[in-house]
Amino acid sequence: MKLINIISVKKITAFSYVAILFCGLVMISSGYNLYKINSFNKSISIGDTSKYYKQSFESRFAVAYWLADAGMFKEATILFNQLLEESDDNQKSAVHYNIGNIFFKRGLIINGANMSVRDEAEYLFRQAKKSYVQSLKAKHNYWDAKHNLDRL
């Protein structure tokens, strides 16, 4: 069997059409995924859950982070604690780090007011330390947690 009998212009043309169709489908799929990612980023920048990745770990983490940044510490802590149940070690480290930041920030806010709330501020600082230590247990080389633990 000769190579010329196997390869013909019709076969090459048909293969080219299939390849073009496949590449077009890949481009359309990639464009749609890029659209969903941009939509996700816009949604979480305002503290809303994305309609495409509503129940994803990243979406709920971003909402919890936004809540903490907006000063809604109790709601953020509750959402972060819910995320701990389904996270891997890296995610647990990040969640504990953010919980520690919430306690640390609350302790600094309360401690700056007056000395009558010393016990509550001390409790918050202890909770922050505990969260940073848990973060380091999950990911021992997490330098931000080490830094904040050193600051405490």
Side-chain angles (χ1 to χ4, degrees):
M1 186 178 265
K2 293 184 178 179
L3 186 61
I4 293 181
N5 293 340
I6 296 173
I7 299 174
S8 68
V9 174
K10 288 183 180 182
K11 290 180 181 177
I12 292 174
T13 305
F15 177 75
S16 297
Y17 284 139
V18 169
I20 290 171
L21 180 65
F22 177 75
C23 290
L25 291 174
V26 168
M27 286 177 51
I28 290 171
S29 174
S30 297
Y32 181 66
N33 285 335
L34 187 61
Y35 169 76
K36 290 190 323 185
I37 290 168
N38 285 334
S39 172
F40 173 79
N41 289 337
K42 285 178 186 176
S43 296
I44 64 169
S45 69
I46 60 171
D48 195 14
T49 56
S50 171
K51 65 181 178 179
Y52 296 107
Y53 302 108
K54 188 171 250 170
Q55 293 301 319
S56 71
F57 178 89
E58 291 80 9
S59 178
R60 291 181 292 147
F61 184 91
V63 170
Y65 184 85
W66 184 87
L67 288 170
D69 197 41
M72 295 181 248
F73 300 124
K74 290 181 182 179
E75 294 86 354
T77 305
I78 290 168
L79 191 51
F80 276 131
N81 281 324
Q82 289 173 352
L83 289 172
L84 282 174
E85 298 169 3
E86 62 187 70
S87 56
D88 61 20
D89 284 344
N90 287 334
Q91 292 169 335
K92 280 182 184 176
S93 180
V95 168
H96 282 299
Y97 172 74
N98 281 290
I99 291 172
N101 285 344
I102 289 171
F103 285 124
F104 193 24
K105 191 183 286 187
R106 285 178 62 199
L108 289 174
I109 290 170
I110 290 175
N111 195 33
N114 59 25
M115 290 305 290
S116 65
V117 291
R118 181 175 165 238
D119 292 337
E120 186 176 352
E122 187 176 328
Y123 167 78
L124 291 170
F125 288 138
R126 283 187 186 149
Q127 292 299 321
K129 179 181 178 183
K130 188 174 164 184
S131 291
Y132 291 140
V133 168
Q134 287 175 337
S135 174
L136 290 171
K137 283 181 182 177
K139 186 178 176 187
H140 69 280
N141 59 353
Y142 193 31
W143 289 103
D144 291 338
K146 288 182 181 183
H147 173 75
N148 285 2
L149 184 60
D150 186 49
R151 287 180 62 197
L152 273 174

